[in-house]
């Protein structure tokens, strides 16, 4: 046709024909063009050799058109596949879009779920805290009920003690003054003279408007009844004069010198000190005042911190004892407490104790003896002698009763001591508790255990008191004999 004329062919070959060939897209070939080219290629006259012989360019064009035909045929073969690929890619895009939408929905729902889980955890933690608080409140309630059940009697006792302490504090200044005066001055006198002195001192305080107890008793101010009971167990008579003497021996600053014609002080001190020495696992040293080796023995006891009882002291004291009696101590550069004794400086052990006694019934001591020691008159009183004689008579006639009494006194003393410690432990635990008392499990357990123990001990003490009454009734059958013996002793002493 007109488009395949030579002139048109030349026009096509001119210009940018080569560029058009290199950039030609095989997919733009039309079927009509393919059919025309196939007719040409199917012609027996048109072969590669004939085209090449005609022109090298014609040979190249033959290869190029032949290649395009091959490409076109292949394109026709893969066209359904490519169309299917397009559809699948389109489907993939749709699915990806749907996936993105679902992911967005998932993320949104997950955020809601995370929030709910966080709220659940917070609610669970809050529930756990509330449950813990409920359990804690239950425990505190149980502890409160325990305290209310276990400590009602303590409340009454504490109220009474608080009232007593208020009265003690009011009269504290005067009572301290009179107690100091008693310990310092009235030890050498008899019971009636002591009572007269105390009465004058009390009236003097009242006149000067110094608060003081109207009915002053030294033992009530200085020691507790349990300590007095221990002294009685060691053999100290239970009359007021003997009890006051016990206070002077144990509470005085100066070492005691006991006027002891009947040796009751020596026996009491010996038993008491041996018990203390047994606890410390040291011996009690008993020396005679006339012993020529007394100073050397004393020096060793001072170093070892032993208790020393010097007996049979006369109206004068060995001047070599002055550094110890006057407590003339000093410290070296290391802080040790020393005393110059027996021509040497030696360490004074803090546990060292010194007790002196004389058998002289009415010694005429020099003034310096009163300066160096606390002189205490342990001469027997009517009541004290009566009690001692009663004990001797009962131990001879019915030894089982006297043994039961001694055993009972020991048990009562030990039980009352345990009871006092339990009560003090309860009060100490309450005072030392910081904050809410119900918060301390240890405190409540300690209080409960202490109270149970205290109730057990209290019951034992009550039973012991009943037994004591029974024993005292049994001993009372011999009281008239003891009274007559006491009267007889003092009658003979007055006649002498």
């Amino acid at each position: 046709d007109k488009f395949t004329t030579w002139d048109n062919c030349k026009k096509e070959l001119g210009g940018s024909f080569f560029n058009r060939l290199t950039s030609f897209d095989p997919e733009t070939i039309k079927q009509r063009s393919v059919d025309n080219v196939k007719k040409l290629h199917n012609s027996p006259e048109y072969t590669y050799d004939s085209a090449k012989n005609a022109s090298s360019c014609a040979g190249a064009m033959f290869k190029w058109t032949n290649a395009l035909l091959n490409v076109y045929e292949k394109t026709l073969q893969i066209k359904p596949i490519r169309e299917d690929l397009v559809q699948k890619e389109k489907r993939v895009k749709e699915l990806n879009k749907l996936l993105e939408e679902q992911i967005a929905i998932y993320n949104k729902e997950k955020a809601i779920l995370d929030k709910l889980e966080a709220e659940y955890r917070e609610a669970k933690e809050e529930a756990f805290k509330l449950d813990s608080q409920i359990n804690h409140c239950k425990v505190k309630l149980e502890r409160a009920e325990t305290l209310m059940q276990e400590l009602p009697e303590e409340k009454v006792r504490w109220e009474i003690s608080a009232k007593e302490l208020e009265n003690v504090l009011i009269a504290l200044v005067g009572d301290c003054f009179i107690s100091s005066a008693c310990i310092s001055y009235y030890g050498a006198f008899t019971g009636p003279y002591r009572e007269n002195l105390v009465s004058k001192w009390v009236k003097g305080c009242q006149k000067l408007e110094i608060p003081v107890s109207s009915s002053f008793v030294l033992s009530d101010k200085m020691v507790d009844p349990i300590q007095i009971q221990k002294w009685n167990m060691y053999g100290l008579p239970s009359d007021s004069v003997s009890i006051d003497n016990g206070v002077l021996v144990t509470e005085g600053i100066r070492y005691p010198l006991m006027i002891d014609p009947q040796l009751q002080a020596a026996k009491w001190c010996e038993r008491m000190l041996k018990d203390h020495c047994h606890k410390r696992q040291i011996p009690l040293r008993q020396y005679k005042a006339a012993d020529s080796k007394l100073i050397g023995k004393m020096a060793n006891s001072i170093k070892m911190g032993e208790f020393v009882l010097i007996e049979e002291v006369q109206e004068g004291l060995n001047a070599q004892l002055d550094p110890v009696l006057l407590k003339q101590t000093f410290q070296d550069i290391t802080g040790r407490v020393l005393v110059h004794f027996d021509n040497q400086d030696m360490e004074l052990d803090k546990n060292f104790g010194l007790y002196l006694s004389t058998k002289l019934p009415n010694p005429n001591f020099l003034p310096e003896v009163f300066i160096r020691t606390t002189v205490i008159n342990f001469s027997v009183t009517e009541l004290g002698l009566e009690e001692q004689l009663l004990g001797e008579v009962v131990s001879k006639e019915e030894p089982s009763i006297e043994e039961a009494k001694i055993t009972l006194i020991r048990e009562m003393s030990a039980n009352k001591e345990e009871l006092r410690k339990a009560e003090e432990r309860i009060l100490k635990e309450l005072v030392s508790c910081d904050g809410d008392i119900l918060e301390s499990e240890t405190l409540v357990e300690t209080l409960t255990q202490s109270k149970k123990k205290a109730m057990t001990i209290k019951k034992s003490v009550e039973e012991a008191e009943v037994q004591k009454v029974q024993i005292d009734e049994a001993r009372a059958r011999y009281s008239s004999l003891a009274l007559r013996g006491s009267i007889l002793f003092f009658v003979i002493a007055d006649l002498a």
Side-chain angles (χ1 to χ4, degrees), residues 326-371:
L326 296 174
K327 299 183 179 179
Q328 296 173 343
T329 60
F330 58 94
Q331 289 185 338
D332 61 4
I333 57 176
T334 63
R336 295 186 307 160
V337 178
L338 305 178
V339 63
H340 187 77
F341 185 77
D342 193 21
N343 297 321
Q344 59 179 315
D345 293 337
M346 62 181 64
E347 184 175 2
L348 178 62
D349 192 284
K350 63 180 181 179
N351 294 315
F352 171 75
L354 177 61
Y355 301 82
L356 304 97
S357 69
T358 178
K359 293 181 180 179
L360 300 176
N362 189 22
N364 186 19
F365 290 132
L366 297 175
E368 53 264 26
V369 174
F370 291 90
I371 295 173

Side-chain angles (χ1 to χ4, degrees), residues 33 105 117 141 150 194 274 279 286 364 373 409 470:
S33 298
I105 294 172
E117 287 180 347
L141 182 60
E150 298 292 341
R194 291 181 183 181
K274 280 185 176 179
K279 293 177 181 177
Q286 294 177 262
N364 186 19
T373 63
I409 290 175
Q470 296 173 350

Side-chain angles (χ1 to χ4, degrees), residues 109-123:
E109 296 298 329
K110 187 175 183 300
I112 296 173
L113 179 61
D114 291 342
K115 182 179 179 181
L116 291 174
E117 287 180 347
E119 292 176 353
Y120 169 73
R121 286 194 298 270
E122 291 177 0

Side-chain angles (χ1 to χ4, degrees), residues 255 285-289 291-311 313 317-326 339 341-342 344 346-349 352-356:
Y255 295 120
R285 301 300 183 183
Q286 294 177 262
Y287 305 135
K288 302 296 183 182
D291 190 345
S292 59
K293 299 180 180 180
L294 174 64
I295 302 303
K297 294 177 180 178
M298 277 282 295
N300 186 60
S301 296
I302 290 171
K303 297 176 184 177
M304 300 300 295
E306 298 172 338
F307 286 123
V308 176
L309 176 60
I310 300 179
E311 300 172 314
V313 174
L317 292 174
N318 191 333
Q320 291 179 287
L321 295 175
D322 285 355
V324 176
L325 295 175
L326 296 174
V339 63
F341 185 77
D342 193 21
Q344 59 179 315
M346 62 181 64
E347 184 175 2
L348 178 62
D349 192 284
F352 171 75
L354 177 61
Y355 301 82
L356 304 97

Side-chain angles (χ1 to χ4, degrees), residues 66-276:
N66 191 51
L68 286 178
L69 289 175
N70 292 331
V71 170
Y72 180 78
E73 290 177 357
K74 297 296 182 184
T75 301
L76 290 177
Q77 294 175 3
I78 66 172
K79 183 177 181 181
I81 299 174
R82 294 181 70 180
E83 290 176 352
D84 185 59
L85 176 62
V86 171
Q87 293 297 323
K88 285 183 168 46
E89 288 178 346
K90 182 179 179 181
R91 180 61 179 164
V92 167
K93 289 181 180 179
E94 293 175 354
L95 292 175
N96 284 337
K97 184 178 180 181
L98 181 61
L99 177 62
E100 290 175 358
E101 292 174 355
Q102 294 300 320
I103 289 174
I105 294 172
Y106 167 77
N107 290 335
K108 183 178 179 180
E109 296 298 329
K110 187 175 183 300
I112 296 173
L113 179 61
D114 291 342
K115 182 179 179 181
L116 291 174
E117 287 180 347
E119 292 176 353
Y120 169 73
R121 286 194 298 270
E122 291 177 0
K124 189 175 180 180
E125 290 176 359
E126 184 66 22
F128 179 76
K129 290 180 181 178
L130 291 174
D131 189 55
S132 298
Q133 291 177 0
I134 291 172
N135 292 333
H136 187 58
C137 289
K138 287 181 180 179
V139 171
K140 290 178 68 175
L141 182 60
E142 291 174 357
R143 293 172 184 170
E145 291 176 351
T146 301
L147 291 178
M148 292 296 293
Q149 293 172 0
E150 298 292 341
L151 300 180
E153 295 181 3
E154 295 300 316
K155 179 178 180 295
V156 177
R157 186 177 66 83
W158 293 334
E159 289 176 348
I160 295 173
S161 299
K163 187 64 177 177
E164 291 176 350
L165 285 175
E166 288 180 4
N167 297 331
V168 169
L169 289 174
I170 292 172
L172 183 61
V173 175
D175 289 349
C176 286
F177 165 72
I178 296 179
S179 298
S180 301
C182 290
I183 294 173
S184 299
Y185 298 113
Y186 87 171
F189 303 116
T190 60
Y193 195 86
R194 291 181 183 181
E195 293 176 0
N196 187 33
L197 278 176
V198 170
S199 177
K200 289 182 179 180
W201 290 337
V202 169
K203 290 179 180 178
C205 288
Q206 293 172 341
K207 185 177 181 180
L208 296 173
E209 297 183 352
I210 299 174
V212 65
S213 298
S214 57
S215 56
F216 179 88
V217 179
L218 179 62
S219 58
D220 292 345
K221 308 301 177 183
M222 299 301 297
V223 293
D224 58 65
I226 297 175
Q227 183 61 49
I228 294 174
Q229 201 167 38
K230 286 183 178 180
W231 290 345
N232 297 149
M233 185 177 66
Y234 291 133
L236 183 69
S238 58
D239 61 283
S240 60
V241 175
S242 298
I243 298 301
D244 287 347
N245 287 342
V247 174
L248 300 180
V249 170
T250 56
E251 302 298 328
I253 296 177
R254 292 171 297 192
Y255 295 120
L257 171 54
M258 298 169 285
I259 301 173
D260 188 29
Q262 288 82 30
L263 299 180
Q264 62 178 5
K267 293 178 181 178
W268 167 63
C269 276
E270 183 177 346
R271 292 173 183 169
M272 179 177 64
L273 296 178
K274 280 185 176 179
D275 186 42
H276 293 331

